[in-house]
Amino acid sequence: MEKKRFERPIIKKLQTGMPNKFGMKTEYDPITEIDGVPVKELIAKYGSPLYVISEKTIRETCREANRAFSTRYPKVQFAWSYKTNYMNAVCNVFHSEGSWAEVVSGFEYDKAIANGVPASKILFNGPDKSEKDLEKAIKHGSYIHIDHFDELYTIIGLTAKMKERPKVAIRVNMDCGIYPMWSRFGFNYENGEAWEAINRIMLSKKIDLVGLHSHIGTYILAPYAYGTAATKLADLAAAIDKKYNHHIKYIDLGGGFASKNTLKGAYLPGSDTCPTFDQYADAISSALINSQINHEHLPVLILETGRALIDDAGFLLGTVLANKRLPEGKLATIIDIGVNLLFTSFWYDHKITPAQQFSHHTEDAIIYGPLCMNIDIIRENVQLPPMKKGDNIIISRIGAYNMTQWMQFITLRPNIVMVDTKGKAHVIRGNETAISINENEKVPEHLTKFEL
Ligand SMILES: *Cc1c(COP(=O)(O)O)cnc(C)c1O
C-alpha cells in the first residue's frame, strides 16, 4: 500500500454560530465578470459604485416567464411594471420582448408614451391619477384601473364632456390567505364593494368595463394565493356575464412573484424558497380554466410581475473603503455603497461577493456604507474573506426597486451601465454631477451674498 502523502495540519479558529466545527466554506466563488465583461474593467471605466444591468438575464428571465404561462393558458400578456425599474433602456428591453407598460403615476405614463409604447397598451394603476391624467388616458385609449369610488366618479364626470368611452378595469382586493391583507388599494371583494363598483360602471352606460385587476402584495411565496385571487376575479367575471351578458376582456393578476433574494431573518436562502414561474402559472391557469367562465370567452391573462423579472439582472459594484475592528471585536468593512443606493438592503440579506480571488479563510463581518448615518448598514452579518482597501465587491440581485427608490444624499448618484447580449457595455443613465443636482435650486436675492 502506498504511503499517504503528508499534509500539514492547519489551525483554524472556530466561528460561533457555524453548523460544524470546521466552519462554513464561503458560500461563493469570486465574481470577476458580468456577461463576459471584467468587473475591474467596468469599474475602471465607469467608476465605483456602479450599477450594471445584464440585458441577457432580463431577456432570459422574460422568456422563461412567458413560456411558463403561455404553455398553460392560451392568451397571455405581460405588462412591465415601470416603478420596479423605469430606466428607459430597461423598459425597452421588456417592450421588445412583447411586454406592455404598467404605470402608477402620470410621470410613469408619460415615460411609457415617450418610450414609444402605444397608449392602447398601457395599464394605468394606482390611487393617484389626477383629472388631467385620467383625461389623457381616456383620450388616448389606455386602460384605467380604477382604485376607489372618487376616481370612478371623476371618470363618470369626464364622460359628460368627452366623446371617447373610457376603457376601465377595477382593482379588487381580497382575502387570499396572505396577511396582512393589502386592503388599501382597490375595491374589496368580500364585502361587496367590488360588485357595487361594477354595477355603477355598468349603470353609467358610457364606460367600457374591459377588465378585472388585482395585485395581492409583493414577494408572495405562496402560489396558491394567486389561485384564490384568480378564482375570485373569475367569479366576478362570470357574475357580470350572467347579469349583463357582458364578457370581460382580461383578468390581470398583477405582480408580486418572489425573486430569489433572501429576506432578512429567513431560515433558508431565497434561491431555495422562491417558487418557479411554472408554479405560479399552474395556480393561476388552473383557477381560470376551471372557473365558471365559458371557454369561448376566456379572458386574456395579464401579468404585471416586476421584481421576479429584473432582480437577477441587476448588480451593484463597489469598492472597499476601509476595515475596522469594532471595540467588541467584530470586523467592520466599509464600502462605497450605502443604503441610498441599495434601498432593498432594509429587507433583504443581499449576496455580497468579492470581485477578486480570495483565500478561503472567512470571518463574520458587518458591512457599512459610507453615509454618516447609523442606519447605513448593508449587511449586519456576513461571512466574508478579509478584503483590503481598494478591493472590489459585487452585490447581486439588485435590479428591482433600487434604481427607482434610490435617494440622493451627500454624494451623487453613479452611472448605470447595461451590458448588451454581445457583451458590450452602454451607459444608460449618466452619473449625476454638481450641475445636474444644483440646476433646480434657486437662492433668493437677499441670500446670495454674505460675509463671514
Ligand atoms: C408594484 C406593482 C407591480 C409589481 O410588483 P412586484 O412585486 O415587483 O412584482 C405590479 N402591479 C402593480 C399594480 C404594482 O403596484
Side-chain angles (χ1 to χ4, degrees), residues 59-86:
R59 292 193 186 275
E60 282 171 1
T61 316
C62 233
R63 287 171 196 174
E64 170 60 18
N66 261 297
R67 187 203 52 74
F69 280 89
S70 58
T71 50
R72 288 172 171 84
Y73 193 79
K75 298 181 259 183
V76 177
Q77 179 61 55
F78 278 79
W80 176 238
S81 156
Y82 265 47
K83 77 170 188 295
T84 310
N85 187 317
Y86 47 57

Side-chain angles (χ1 to χ4, degrees), residues 81-83 101-109 122-131 133-134 137 143-152 154-155 169-172 182 184-187 213-215 250 252 254 304:
S81 156
Y82 265 47
K83 77 170 188 295
E102 183 276 321
V103 303
V104 292
S105 67
F107 159 72
E108 288 191 350
Y109 184 89
I122 300 178
L123 310 174
F124 199 165
N125 279 308
D128 174 21
K129 308 178 193 84
S130 69
E131 190 162 331
D133 293 336
L134 290 168
Y143 295 104
I144 300 169
H145 290 184
I146 305 174
D147 188 77
H148 41 70
F149 281 113
D150 283 324
E151 187 178 327
L152 172 58
T154 308
I155 292 173
I170 57 161
R171 176 158 176 177
V172 181
W182 278 24
R184 56 177 285 184
F185 302 109
F187 303 92
H213 172 241
S214 73
H215 171 63
Y250 66 83
D252 179 345
E304 304 169 343

Side-chain angles (χ1 to χ4, degrees), residues 83-262:
K83 77 170 188 295
T84 310
N85 187 317
Y86 47 57
M87 293 306 123
N88 295 328
V90 169
C91 296
N92 288 356
V93 175
F94 283 102
H95 298 322
S96 73
E97 289 290 329
S99 284
W100 293 6
E102 183 276 321
V103 303
V104 292
S105 67
F107 159 72
E108 288 191 350
Y109 184 89
D110 293 344
K111 224 173 192 303
I113 293 282
N115 279 339
V117 180
S120 61
K121 295 184 173 174
I122 300 178
L123 310 174
F124 199 165
N125 279 308
D128 174 21
K129 308 178 193 84
S130 69
E131 190 162 331
K132 253 200 178 137
D133 293 336
L134 290 168
E135 210 175 319
K136 193 167 12 173
I138 294 170
K139 186 149 176 261
H140 296 106
S142 303
Y143 295 104
I144 300 169
H145 290 184
I146 305 174
D147 188 77
H148 41 70
F149 281 113
D150 283 324
E151 187 178 327
L152 172 58
Y153 302 146
T154 308
I155 292 173
I156 292 176
L158 284 169
T159 58
K161 58 173 190 182
M162 294 181 73
K163 58 178 195 310
E164 296 86 0
R165 291 176 65 86
K167 291 190 288 180
V168 307
I170 57 161
R171 176 158 176 177
V172 181
N173 68 64
M174 60 192 88
D175 184 351
C176 310
I178 299 292
Y179 309 104
M181 208 175 107
W182 278 24
S183 56
R184 56 177 285 184
F185 302 109
F187 303 92
N188 185 250
Y189 175 86
E190 283 80 16
N191 70 6
E193 199 182 31
W195 185 236
E196 181 180 343
I198 288 166
N199 286 314
R200 285 187 183 278
I201 292 169
M202 297 307 289
L203 185 66
S204 89
K205 304 238 190 298
K206 289 188 173 167
I207 300 176
D208 291 332
L209 178 64
V210 290
L212 295 170
H213 172 241
S214 73
H215 171 63
I216 59 176
T218 193
Y219 202 92
I220 306 288
L221 287 167
Y224 78 86
Y226 288 92
T228 310
T231 300
K232 290 186 175 179
L233 292 185
D235 283 350
L236 286 176
I240 294 167
D241 199 351
K242 192 162 168 220
K243 181 165 174 182
Y244 298 101
N245 191 28
H246 174 77
H247 310 308
I248 288 298
K249 283 213 192 93
Y250 66 83
I251 283 186
D252 179 345
L253 266 298
F257 300 165
S259 77
K260 298 192 193 76
N261 259 309
T262 305

